[in-house]
Amino acid sequence: MTLGSGTKLGPYEIVALIGAGGMGEVYRARDSRLGRDVAVKVLSESFTRDPERLHRFEQEARAVAALNHPNILGLYDIGSDNGRPYLVSELLEGESLREMLRGGPVHSRKAGDYAVQIASGLAAAHEKGIVHRDLKPENLFITKDGRAKILDFGLAKLTQTPVTGSDGLTVTSSPTMAGVVMGTAGYMSPEQVRGETVDHRTDIFAFGAVLYEMISGQRAFHRDTAAETMTAILKEDPPELGDTTKVVSPALDRIVRRCLEKRPEQRFQSAQDLAFAMGALSSTDASGAVRARPAPRETRSWLWAIGTLALLSIAAIVWGFSRTAPAARRMQFALPVPGQVSQTALSADGEMLAFVSPDEKTNVPMLYVQRLGAPTATELPGTEDASFPFWSPDDAYVGYFAKSRLLKVAASGGSPQTLASVSVARGGTWGTKNVIVYSPDPQGGMWRVNANGTGAAPLSATLFTSGEQSHRWPVFLPDGDRFLFWAGNFLNSLDDRTSGIYESSLDSKQKTLVMPAHSNAALARGQIFYADEKRRLVSSAFDIAKGTVSGEPHVIAESVGYQPAIIWGAFSAALNGNLIYSTSTETTLSALTWVDRAGKELGRVGDPGTLSNPALSPDGKRVAVDIADTKANNVDVWIESLEGGSNTRFTFDATEAVAAVWTRDEKSIAYRTVSAKVSLMLKAASGLEREKALVTVDFVADFVPNSWSLDDKQLLCTEFFSDRLGDRSTGLVLVPATGGNLVPFGPTKASQRNGQISPDGKWVAYASNESGDWEVYVTTFPAAAGKWQISRGGGSEPRWRGDGKEIFYIAPTGMMTAATVSTDGALSSGTPMSLFQVRGRAAVSSTDSFTYDVSRDGKRFLVNRYLQPDHPNPLTIVLNATAEAQK
């Protein structure tokens, strides 16, 4: 029953009814004691006999009373009159966001301002362990002076004290219906729709839906019925903002899309980060053009496209933090990125960032540098295929790896300088004594070289002990002599007592275990950062003088990007205490894509995933491909049908199985496995017979199968030499189909790889770096006699056309290239012709031999094409990351 004017509820006198909702009525009332107007919410009579509803009413009171924030409705009192519970809050003058939206979309600048306030209020609630769970325009109020207020924590869940029992489903502003999930259709997160346990990230999803509606004037997931709306939340994305309004900032669009990610781990991970991103955006013109033309290549301004003024404010914050005392408070914020940023490195002063990202035209990984907060990122010319950057101590140079070389380049630009040769490198570090320590091979030891390229030499092989398979990811300590690195094996088994982060020095013949781990490490202000067994980014107190850790680990992030195949986490720290990391848990996604000779996409095969090494069967009806399962820390060979059938898993061992090669008769497939040892395996293509090992070796050598001889009696392989003392070359070897001794093939003075025997079985095309750069050559088979260079200006990954009259390869620019070949008498080749940009997935492992395969007629190419993420995970910057751990 509605209360009339003059009705008394304790010391409060009802003035007028303001509105009604699912849980009761709200009245304007006069506080006779303090002489002020207040709002009184009275629980509906129909609910007073329902213990569950009463419980929720009391829960609302406790939740709101625990909060004191200008963007959250303030609670003054709680009481009961004649058995009717009520609560008293501040009286707001203005209108609800729902009423405001009836007049159409909110101007972008105002929407951004309101969004910052709402996000700040959510951050305050989340900090107290409170999740709203019913954020919607009806529960948001805009006062006359432009302040946004969050109302109605009636559905709030105290995450520190879980509530049991059934909840209701609010589909409109009508009374709550009994059901199994809680929230409002149209603003519920996917996990709410499924009735799963929710956390603070469910509010971030609802925030995204509200922000979308403010900007566009349309509901993000509105359908005719609640059931259809919830289905849309689970399976569909809202229309592009550019389709619903004339102008919207690309940065604002990215923020909205990130909030509306279906998976909680892909959204902003805190409302504080969200508030910071929105605050930075709203300080600029948030109504910028929908799509801007990219800046010139050398100054692409797309890394953090949230506005020049906002970026300069970030720069000021970074500058200030880099000069504060260690006791300065910790600050964290997210940096949205429009594309894949795979590897990052912070400079020693914590003000500069080097990172690797695919060039937007060629998809070739390039090296970029950017001052934190600057509006542009600078692409460093000549750094194609860059990986794993690291800074010089004075921040003037960036070291990196590319094209089987260790290089350095001035951060201001210039020609890269080669310092040493590598195979497939696993990290480097530049010490204050101007010495670089680096890991040149996945299964080898570490080397040292002076920063001018002189004095390259292996570090003592006595650092290796029994059971270890690799040393990698070195990090110098401040003295420039001692360094940390990871050593161990790849099994990650429970009984592994060897793998961990170790300490050694430039002249030492021993190493000391610092801590067990399967992760790289980073250092800053007495803390060591690493990824723990739960894939969390954590830090532990580290005594630099003693080389020991102590105390309980401090969790920095509940999730950090991690690649189990290379035992590497996506984070970097600076000596001043700044930290940067990515929350992405996936490696680069790609899709097997058919393209014609002009590069036109014709269709896809199978599902996107972490794929590598596509190999077509001789009849062109199937393709074998490596597919990584990041959750299981495993890679297996799968066979995809090209005629509409389903895919089939081909290997099942608890090991890494990769690089499948079909026999010419299609009856068997060879592939490489790794566990405690490396093996070349042979298995019937039907999958009905047990596999057998052709060759098994320890980690002194490694093999990747490339091609079968015409009679299927010999398998041509790339062998990786890594004797831990310096031989890091690769070569071609022949492996008998029956097993037995290996036979070297071809010249051995330089490295060779990707050997492909011609369709008639008389020639071999391969890539070699004998000229200093990788080029494609052809020699005779079965005995190598002479060689002919096919490529011009670099090339790798050769493949033959089915009739042997054309060779395809990939140029250094990522261009698919074709060269005609004549084998009548002496071999001759025509001028190479560019076909199309491959845009393939960048190699992350030494076993990533081929990016593509080609049909027998040479008219179609099956390319493992890189997929640009629609909503890339942002990078997270933590300024003074050691502050909390040091308390």
Side-chain angles (χ1 to χ4, degrees):
M1 181 179 69
T2 302
L3 302 179
S5 177
T7 302
K8 294 289 187 69
L9 293 177
Y12 307 102
E13 180 178 342
I14 299 299
V15 175
L17 176 68
I18 296 176
M23 293 184 65
E25 298 83 31
V26 180
Y27 297 88
R28 186 187 188 104
R30 184 72 175 172
D31 186 343
S32 59
R33 297 170 303 179
L34 300 178
R36 64 179 177 181
D37 286 346
V38 295
V40 176
K41 183 173 184 177
V42 182
L43 193 65
S44 300
E45 288 183 353
S46 61
F47 295 158
T48 57
R49 294 180 297 273
D50 187 337
E52 176 62 19
R53 301 300 171 98
L54 285 172
H55 171 75
R56 285 172 53 196
F57 183 83
E58 294 170 357
Q59 179 180 325
E60 177 183 19
R62 290 196 301 270
V64 178
L67 304 175
N68 182 18
H69 192 274
N71 298 118
I72 297 176
L73 180 72
L75 176 66
Y76 295 154
D77 194 10
I78 185 171
S80 179
D81 187 85
N82 293 323
R84 298 194 65 183
Y86 63 86
L87 59 81
V88 183
S89 66
E90 63 178 319
L91 180 66
L92 303 177
E93 299 287 343
E95 62 183 344
S96 72
L97 181 59
R98 172 60 66 212
E99 293 171 324
M100 179 178 288
L101 287 172
R102 291 192 179 104
V106 181
H107 187 276
S108 295
R109 190 181 296 276
K110 284 188 176 180
D113 183 36
Y114 297 154
V116 171
Q117 296 183 57
I118 296 167
S120 298
L122 287 176
H126 295 169
E127 187 176 0
K128 296 289 187 179
I130 300 170
V131 180
H132 191 287
R133 294 199 298 175
D134 196 29
L135 195 69
K136 57 186 177 182
E138 289 82 357
N139 285 337
L140 295 168
F141 196 92
I142 308 300
T143 65
K144 287 184 176 180
D145 60 358
R147 176 167 293 179
K149 292 274 190 176
I150 304 175
L151 315 179
D152 195 1
F153 276 81
L155 294 180
K157 174 185 177 183
L158 293 173
T159 57
Q160 297 170 352
T161 309
V163 178
T164 60
S166 63
D167 291 319
L169 166 65
T170 301
V171 291
T172 65
S173 59
S174 61
T176 304
M177 300 180 298
V180 294
V181 293
M182 179 175 285
T184 298
Y187 305 92
M188 295 167 64
S189 65
E191 56 268 31
Q192 277 181 295
V193 171
R194 290 189 290 264
E196 299 173 349
T197 301
V198 301
D199 59 20
H200 62 280
R201 293 172 295 185
T202 199
D203 285 348
I204 292 176
F205 185 93
F207 174 96
V210 170
L211 181 55
Y212 180 97
E213 191 170 348
M214 279 198 289
I215 297 168
S216 67
Q218 301 177 15
R219 301 193 188 190
F221 301 102
H222 182 63
R223 299 295 186 273
D224 292 337
T225 67
E228 291 173 334
T229 298
M230 290 189 287
T231 299
I233 289 172
L234 291 174
K235 298 183 178 181
E236 300 174 15
D237 291 325
E240 294 291 335
L241 282 171
D243 297 333
T244 61
T245 186
K246 292 183 179 180
V247 287
V248 60
S249 161
L252 182 58
D253 178 76
R254 282 192 292 273
I255 291 175
V256 173
R257 295 290 168 180
R258 182 156 184 79
C259 290
L260 294 176
E261 288 286 354
K262 306 298 185 188
R263 295 164 55 187
E265 62 268 21
Q266 293 183 344
R267 300 173 202 151
F268 285 95
Q269 294 302 291
S270 74
Q272 184 181 16
D273 289 349
L274 175 57
F276 187 93
M278 286 302 309
L281 180 63
S282 64
S283 68
T284 70
D285 184 3
S287 61
V290 174
R291 291 173 181 84
R293 301 186 72 136
R297 180 174 177 178
E298 36 294 272
T299 57
R300 286 166 50 192
S301 56
W302 52 261
L303 176 59
W304 300 305
I306 55 176
T308 301
L309 293 178
L311 289 165
L312 292 177
S313 68
I314 295 173
I317 295 172
V318 174
W319 185 89
F321 265 74
S322 67
R323 287 154 178 78
T324 55
R329 68 184 182 88
R330 178 179 182 268
M331 178 178 286
Q332 175 176 319
F333 52 90
L335 298 175
V337 293
Q340 178 207 6
V341 175
S342 57
Q343 296 150 10
T344 62
L346 278 174
S347 59
D349 62 9
E351 297 183 20
M352 294 288 292
L353 178 68
F355 63 92
V356 174
S357 184
D359 180 272
E360 60 184 4
K361 292 183 179 179
T362 66
N363 199 51
V364 174
M366 299 291 294
L367 184 62
Y368 295 80
V369 294
Q370 182 160 357
R371 184 169 295 278
L372 294 186
T376 59
T378 301
E379 181 180 300
L380 300 181
T383 60
E384 289 82 1
D385 292 324
S387 66
F388 302 116
F390 55 94
W391 287 85
S392 62
D394 60 3
D395 301 331
Y397 288 86
V398 180
Y400 68 101
F401 305 92
K403 300 177 181 178
S404 301
R405 291 177 290 180
L406 165 65
L407 306 101
K408 70 175 183 181
V409 64
S412 58
S415 299
Q417 177 185 345
T418 297
L419 303 179
S421 62
V422 300
S423 175
V424 180
R426 291 294 180 251
T429 181
W430 194 327
T432 54
K433 293 184 178 180
N434 240 10
V435 174
I436 294 173
V437 171
Y438 60 103
S439 175
D441 188 272
Q443 283 85 43
M446 293 178 299
W447 276 53
R448 60 175 290 173
V449 64
N450 296 325
N452 61 5
T454 63
L459 294 173
S460 176
T462 59
L463 294 180
F464 266 91
T465 56
S466 176
E468 293 178 353
Q469 297 170 333
S470 178
H471 290 176
R472 55 182 62 192
W473 314 126
V475 178
F476 262 119
L477 298 182
D479 62 13
D481 179 52
R482 295 181 300 150
F483 56 88
L484 303 179
F485 63 99
W486 182 84
N489 62 64
F490 305 106
L491 299 182
N492 201 12
S493 61
L494 295 177
D495 59 352
D496 180 11
R497 299 294 183 268
T498 301
S499 300
I501 297 170
Y502 287 79
E503 179 190 319
S504 189
S505 64
L506 293 175
D507 298 321
S508 176
K509 296 183 179 181
Q510 296 180 337
K511 66 180 187 296
T512 303
L513 179 65
V514 174
M515 59 182 299
H518 266 75
S519 172
N520 50 318
L523 292 174
R525 282 184 178 168
Q527 294 287 311
I528 182 171
F529 299 87
Y530 57 97
D532 67 6
E533 67 279 0
K534 297 180 180 179
R535 306 287 172 80
R536 301 178 302 182
L537 178 57
V538 299
S539 70
S540 294
F542 180 67
D543 189 321
I544 293 179
K546 298 179 181 179
T548 58
V549 296
S550 60
E552 292 296 319
H554 177 75
V555 178
I556 304 295
E558 291 294 335
S559 175
V560 66
Y562 183 80
Q563 294 186 20
I566 59 176
I567 311 179
W568 177 82
F571 57 89
S572 173
L575 293 178
N576 73 337
N578 290 349
L579 174 74
I580 189 167
Y581 67 89
S582 170
T583 58
S584 174
T585 57
E586 296 178 335
T587 54
T588 307
L589 293 181
S590 58
L592 297 183
T593 307
W594 281 113
V595 300
D596 62 16
R597 290 177 71 97
K600 179 183 177 181
E601 291 196 7
L602 305 175
R604 290 182 179 176
V605 175
D607 297 323
T610 305
L611 316 176
S612 56
N613 298 318
L616 290 168
S617 61
D619 63 4
K621 296 181 180 180
R622 293 174 291 175
V623 60
V625 60
D626 306 343
I627 301 181
D629 184 342
T630 55
K631 293 183 179 180
N633 295 347
N634 200 21
V635 184
D636 279 292
V637 175
W638 289 67
I639 297 177
E640 300 268 6
S641 171
L642 301 178
E643 296 184 330
S646 60
N647 60 345
T648 303
R649 184 175 173 181
F650 184 68
T651 61
F652 294 89
D653 292 338
T655 61
E656 179 182 271
V658 296
V661 178
W662 300 80
T663 54
R664 303 275 181 149
D665 62 8
E666 302 182 25
K667 293 182 179 180
S668 300
I669 295 176
Y671 56 95
R672 171 255 199 195
T673 66
V674 57
S675 54
K677 295 181 180 292
V678 177
S679 298
L680 287 178
M681 309 298 292
L682 186 64
K683 184 178 180 180
S686 64
L688 299 177
E689 299 177 13
R690 186 176 181 83
E691 66 276 5
K692 66 175 182 179
L694 302 181
V695 177
T696 298
V697 298
D698 62 21
F699 273 84
V700 171
D702 195 358
F703 301 88
V704 177
N706 291 159
S707 178
W708 284 95
S709 62
L710 190 61
D711 58 7
D712 287 330
K713 293 184 178 181
Q714 292 179 299
L715 178 61
L716 185 62
C717 302
T718 298
E719 181 181 21
F720 295 83
F721 303 101
S722 50
D723 62 5
R724 301 172 182 169
L725 290 175
D727 191 350
R728 302 178 307 281
S729 62
T730 63
L732 299 178
V733 295
L734 287 167
V735 178
T738 56
N741 296 327
L742 308 182
V743 180
F745 177 83
T748 57
K749 68 176 183 179
S751 291
Q752 300 88 36
R753 65 187 185 194
N754 303 137
Q756 292 290 288
I757 301 174
S758 63
D760 63 6
K762 297 179 180 180
W763 309 87
V764 170
Y766 63 97
S768 175
N769 65 353
E770 63 181 76
S771 66
D773 293 315
W774 288 98
E775 299 279 3
V776 174
Y777 299 85
V778 169
T779 188
T780 57
F781 187 81
K787 61 180 180 289
W788 294 261
Q789 185 171 329
I790 304 299
S791 60
R792 301 290 186 271
S796 61
E797 301 189 39
R799 294 279 200 187
W800 292 88
R801 197 170 75 186
D803 59 5
K805 296 185 180 300
E806 199 169 23
I807 291 178
F808 305 98
Y809 63 90
I810 300 178
T813 58
M815 181 69 69
M816 180 64 71
T817 308
T820 58
V821 176
S822 174
T823 56
D824 296 333
L827 184 139
S828 62
S829 62
T831 302
M833 177 176 62
S834 297
L835 299 182
F836 59 88
Q837 282 291 338
V838 175
R839 299 189 67 82
R841 173 180 177 269
V844 297
S845 170
S846 59
T847 59
D848 288 351
S849 299
F850 283 93
T851 309
Y852 74 102
D853 205 344
V854 59
S855 62
R856 290 183 61 83
D857 60 9
K859 294 181 179 180
R860 296 190 305 155
F861 298 81
L862 188 61
V863 179
N864 186 27
R865 183 155 279 186
Y866 164 72
L867 293 182
Q868 177 79 14
D870 293 330
H871 312 298
N873 285 336
L875 300 175
T876 299
I877 287 282
V878 184
L879 305 180
N880 205 11
T882 61
E884 293 182 5
Q886 291 172 338
K887 291 180 181 179

